Amino acid sequence: MIPMAKWRASMAACFLSSATVAPVAAAAEWGGGSAPGTSYFSLSDRRPLDGSYRPGYAATNWNGLYFGGNAGWGSGESHLSAPINRSVDPSGFLGGLHAGYNFQSGSLVTGLEIDANWTGSEGSEDLSGGDQLRASADWVSSLRLRLGYATGSWLFYGTAGVAMGGLDLSITGPGTDITLSETLTGYAVGLGAELALTPAISLRAEALHYGFGEETMTTSHGSIDTDLDLTTIRGGLSIKLN
């Protein structure tokens, strides 16, 4: 015969075992996991009991002020009217800084961004009489609106705004040494994608096209009209401040 003390201890152990196993089994059957608070829905990224996200799956908050740096490649065309009547295709590396502010409402993200980039894009063409024409886009800057769609850790966006750029022209050759500089105004449009690595740090890839209207310059060959189109492909890193 089992002593009364041991019988009571056995009954208590059975009761505690049942009280522990039953909820665990129910939670596993309901949530597809193993234990309350640690199991997840099999077809969801949320915990079954409190609806919170698993680590790494929370929707990114894009609201707030940010700044960062970027680098890439730019290539374009500058056309000079008669009497020179030539086109030069400047290309080269570029790098610079950007800053902006995002406003988020659900999956919709709108914002305003300003950027300034130094560029080593340059090209040259031979002229008659042994002269050489060289054109270089020294810098570009823009102030743009951004409109994007946020999903998970990604932000996909389009952007458009006003732009400015610095264009240097030089004509050198026998008896000729002319250097001209002009600040051009125009527009910038583009597309980009941004990936949040942490709540404060994100990486981006972006393509921007700059279009600048004609400006008149006076040279030894006469007055000429010149313009500039430049397309840039660049990557960057942004840091969110709040």
Side-chain angles (χ1 to χ4, degrees):
M1 180 176 294
I2 301 176
M4 182 61 68
K6 288 186 177 182
W7 181 83
R8 289 176 178 174
S10 298
M11 290 297 293
C14 290
F15 176 78
L16 289 175
S17 177
S18 299
T20 302
V21 172
V24 172
E29 181 179 355
W30 175 54
S34 59
T38 60
S39 61
Y40 308 104
F41 285 118
S42 59
L43 298 178
S44 173
D45 293 326
R46 295 174 182 249
R47 293 184 175 93
L49 295 185
D50 59 8
S52 62
Y53 283 93
R54 287 189 287 177
Y57 283 85
T60 300
N61 177 15
W62 296 97
N63 270 313
L65 181 68
Y66 64 90
F67 74 96
N70 51 258
W73 180 266
S75 180
E77 179 181 48
S78 179
H79 178 71
L80 284 74
S81 67
I84 294 179
N85 199 26
R86 290 293 181 89
S87 292
V88 185
D89 300 329
S91 62
F93 288 101
L94 61 89
L97 301 173
H98 61 264
Y101 197 96
N102 285 325
F103 303 89
Q104 184 171 2
S105 176
S107 295
L108 179 66
V109 178
T110 58
L112 184 66
E113 181 171 294
I114 186 171
D115 72 312
N117 289 268
W118 167 87
T119 169
S121 299
E122 62 178 18
S124 62
E125 285 287 330
D126 293 330
L127 303 176
S128 60
D131 290 347
Q132 185 181 63
L133 169 67
R134 180 175 295 274
S136 61
D138 293 333
W139 59 271
V140 290
S141 180
S142 66
L143 177 64
R144 294 171 284 104
L145 294 173
R146 297 205 310 168
L147 177 63
Y149 174 76
T151 174
S153 297
W154 285 93
L155 173 63
F156 302 95
Y157 61 89
T159 182
V162 296
M164 300 180 68
L167 177 65
D168 284 351
L169 295 177
S170 65
I171 302 175
T172 57
T176 304
D177 188 4
I178 299 174
T179 300
L180 301 170
S181 296
E182 192 71 34
T183 297
L184 308 177
T185 58
Y187 66 89
V189 295
L191 297 171
E194 199 161 350
L195 173 64
L197 302 180
T198 72
I201 299 176
S202 62
L203 293 178
R204 64 164 60 183
E206 187 175 62
L208 283 180
H209 176 76
Y210 298 86
F212 300 100
E214 289 187 346
E215 294 288 343
T216 300
M217 297 182 174
T218 301
T219 75
S220 60
H221 293 257
S223 294
I224 61 171
D225 294 328
T226 182
D227 58 18
L228 174 66
D229 288 287
L230 189 68
T231 299
T232 65
I233 304 294
R234 60 198 189 188
L237 182 144
S238 298
I239 299 174
K240 190 156 72 76
L241 299 180
N242 58 340

